[in-house]
Amino acid sequence: DGSLVVRFVIGRAEDPYVARALQRELEVYNDVLIPPFLDLEDGYKSLVPKTKAFASYAFTTYPSASYVMLCDDDVLVDVERLLEAMTTGSLPSKRFYAGQVWAEHFRKPTLPQRSTTHRNYLPEAVYPMSQLPPFAIGPHYLLSMDCAEFIHKNKDDLAGVGTLEDVSVALWLLALQVHPQHSEQFTNARLFGCEAYSVSIADLTSRGIRAIHANRKNGRDACEGYEELAWVKTPRFKLQTP
């Protein structure tokens, strides 16, 4: 019906000040999912259980919703354009999974990271195959609600691929024969800078998010006044295959 619900999924805060601030946020805005909803330490290693928990929450709380979008806190979404795509019938309503798919964008497979010092380290004992399946990268991707329902109903049996929740989701959905669709309107500033046509832009600083939002709100080009060092969370490096 064109309505939108936003929730921030946050694990256990060790800092008492942060924990109190989050509790206050919950009381005032009711937009955060915090312990006891997910009683895990917040961090990279909890991404897989956080993803399963949120998929379950989305389906059980809003079962009539059409889509679920998962994104990081450094992502800016053009909500009006996203809702327009969702409500005009231009997107499939079932078995739909889309985002930035490196295997499609770079036209070559993504390989598992075997370096023990890399945060995405994936030992052969966990993932013995030489290539990762095509997957929509973790900063932002969109699922139809039936995909979230599948994750919810099978959450106790679905194993994660190390800490890689994005690869995990891709493997889980293969059971439904759902494959990720690459969208050029999902971009990340670290590799591509500011792209005005983007529906979702990842890797932005808080200053970059506010600047692009203000530009759009005031009818300007989204990237007017673009400053890479100020807007991009990590300065852009030479474009290369991940």
Side-chain angles (χ1 to χ4, degrees), residues 9 40 113 126 129 133 136 157 187 229 233 236 239:
V9 186
L40 292 171
Q113 180 54 249
V126 174
M129 291 175 280
D157 299 317
T187 65
L229 293 178
K233 197 169 184 180
R236 199 187 329 182
L239 184 63

Side-chain angles (χ1 to χ4, degrees), residues 172-199:
W172 298 340
L173 295 182
L174 282 177
L176 297 177
Q177 287 299 301
V178 174
H179 303 272
Q181 297 183 31
H182 177 64
S183 172
E184 294 290 346
Q185 296 187 59
F186 281 60
T187 65
N188 60 310
R190 185 174 56 166
L191 286 180
F192 307 112
C194 183
E195 297 285 0
Y197 63 83
S198 299
V199 167

